[in-house]
């Protein structure tokens, strides 16, 4: 998605440890119009797939996911990183975060993920794929079906996309960063 | 907002301790169309106010806030509950949650909240107003201006709305729950 690459080049920062800072339009400040157009692109890429629900994870996945849900008229569920008092029966998966160097647990209530649900997962970043793998496990626990995973930004210099594709998961990333060099980003086409 | 009240009556649950469970359309599964219409209602109520930025807090505030940003073409910033590695200069406020009986810190980067910014704050729930008060402090630290606060659901049986209004803050809530009785909700008009 050309507009997104331009935005990353103009406003993104490559930090040490492979961290990409895009806080001006995705991870802290959000550009809602860009999220809408990213959603349109996800919908186009997955137009031959049949899905009835969008799944994401709090917090930065919510904006693009909600736009996919808005355009397609489908509900969005966001996986939680802590179990709230209102949730008493959840699918649970342990995830190790590369960025934060810690392990954490994600939760999706059994109320909103059912056997037979056909799920499109949307998130902000694909790095090592740990979160995506945890989500894929949760979908399996629920006997639901994962039709694909869409990411705003893929760090192609990490293993996530490769790992997910080896599991037979369809992955679509709107900007694939192959390498960074100072403030320069090199994208994969 | 009549549609919202109907939705709360049909799908909401009143739990012990004044907790309202609306996980089917707001706090876990999200109804994007309803969020869009809630945003339209917020925009209508604040139509005489001049604001250039929407502020919310992760995670459940993001969906309605992003829709307000989308319709008005304004950027959305979500306050964070933990400081990420990409943020190195933040406004910070300590919030004591009466619901959770614990204190937590919220962060907004100085990059995205500037002196003179005119802020509309949007969130899912107004209960005791602790979060809103913390946000109001952050806006003051930044020498920005808070033009108003919009909430999807107000628990009118708690003190938040009263406390905020006493500080001169304009509060608009789309559904005001005055009391609950078993599975019954009583709304304030």
């Amino acid at each position: 998605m050309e507009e997104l690459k331009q935005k990353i080049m103009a406003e993104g920062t490559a930090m040490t440890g492979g961290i990409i800072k895009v806080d001006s339009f995705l991870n802290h400040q959000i550009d809602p119009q860009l999220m809408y157009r990213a959603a349109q692109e996800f919908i186009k890429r997955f137009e031959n797939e049949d899905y009835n629900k969008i799944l994401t994870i709090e917090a930065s996945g919510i904006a693009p996911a909600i736009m996919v849900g808005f355009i397609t008229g489908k509900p969005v569920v966001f996986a939680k990183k802590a179990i709230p008092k209102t949730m008493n029966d959840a699918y649970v998966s342990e995830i190790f975060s590369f960025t934060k160097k810690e392990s954490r647990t994600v939760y999706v209530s059994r109320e909103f993920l059912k056997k037979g649900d056909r799920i499109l997962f949307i998130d902000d970043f694909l790095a090592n794929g740990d979160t995506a793998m945890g989500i894929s496990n949760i979908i399996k626990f629920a006997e639901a079906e994962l039709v694909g995973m869409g990411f705003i930004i893929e760090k192609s210099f990490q293993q996530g996309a490769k790992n997910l594709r080896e599991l037979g998961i369809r992955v679509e990333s709107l900007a694939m960063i192959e390498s960074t060099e100072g403030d320069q980003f090199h994208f994969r086409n």
Side-chain angles (χ1 to χ4, degrees), chain A:
Chain A
M1 191 182 170
E2 191 52 37
E3 178 191 3
L4 180 63
K5 291 184 204 171
Q6 295 295 337
K7 192 90 169 170
I8 294 167
M9 286 192 283
E11 301 180 18
T13 311
M15 297 173 70
T16 49
I19 294 170
I20 313 261
K21 178 179 174 180
V22 285
D23 279 3
S24 67
F25 63 88
L26 183 58
N27 295 121
H28 187 24
Q29 182 168 258
I30 310 173
D31 179 338
Q33 262 67 25
L34 180 62
M35 293 300 110
Y36 184 86
R37 290 187 291 269
Q40 288 179 311
E41 180 69 25
F42 282 131
I43 290 164
K44 205 174 105 189
R45 295 199 188 186
F46 290 104
E47 69 186 347
N48 295 322
E49 304 287 348
D50 173 31
Y51 51 96
N52 67 309
K53 197 165 269 195
I54 320 300
L55 184 62
T56 186
I57 181 161
E58 60 180 346
S60 293
I62 295 176
I66 206 82
M67 287 303 183
V68 174
F70 177 63
I71 300 170
T72 60
K74 299 179 204 298
V76 175
V77 174
F78 64 97
K80 303 233 176 191
K81 293 175 181 170
I83 195 158
K85 283 182 181 163
T86 52
M87 197 192 290
N88 53 27
D89 196 1
Y91 297 108
V92 174
S93 185
E94 194 83 4
I95 289 171
F96 182 79
S97 163
F98 159 83
T99 320
K100 293 182 181 164
K101 301 267 180 282
E102 61 185 29
S103 164
R104 64 158 194 250
T105 309
V106 293
Y107 307 85
V108 176
S109 168
R110 285 171 190 259
E111 284 182 84
F112 306 115
L113 186 59
K114 300 285 190 191
K115 183 175 174 172
D117 269 343
R118 298 182 60 83
I119 303 295
L120 176 61
F121 177 71
I122 298 290
D123 205 0
D124 57 338
F125 267 97
L126 173 60
N128 280 312
D130 314 299
T131 303
M133 216 71 98
I135 290 291
S136 155
N137 287 336
I138 279 180
I139 292 169
K140 264 185 218 145
F141 300 154
E143 297 179 63
E145 186 130 353
L146 175 62
V147 308
M149 294 189 147
F151 301 92
I152 301 282
I153 299 174
E154 173 184 311
K155 298 178 186 177
S156 305
F157 53 90
Q158 290 180 18
Q159 296 301 305
K162 188 171 163 285
N163 294 345
L164 294 176
R165 289 197 180 105
E166 279 175 6
L167 290 174
I169 296 170
R170 181 168 168 199
V171 176
E172 292 285 346
S173 307
L174 305 191
M176 295 184 277
I177 298 173
E178 198 143 62
S179 64
T180 62
E181 219 184 294
D183 261 359
Q184 299 291 306
F185 294 92
H186 301 286
F187 294 97
R188 175 177 295 180
N189 282 319

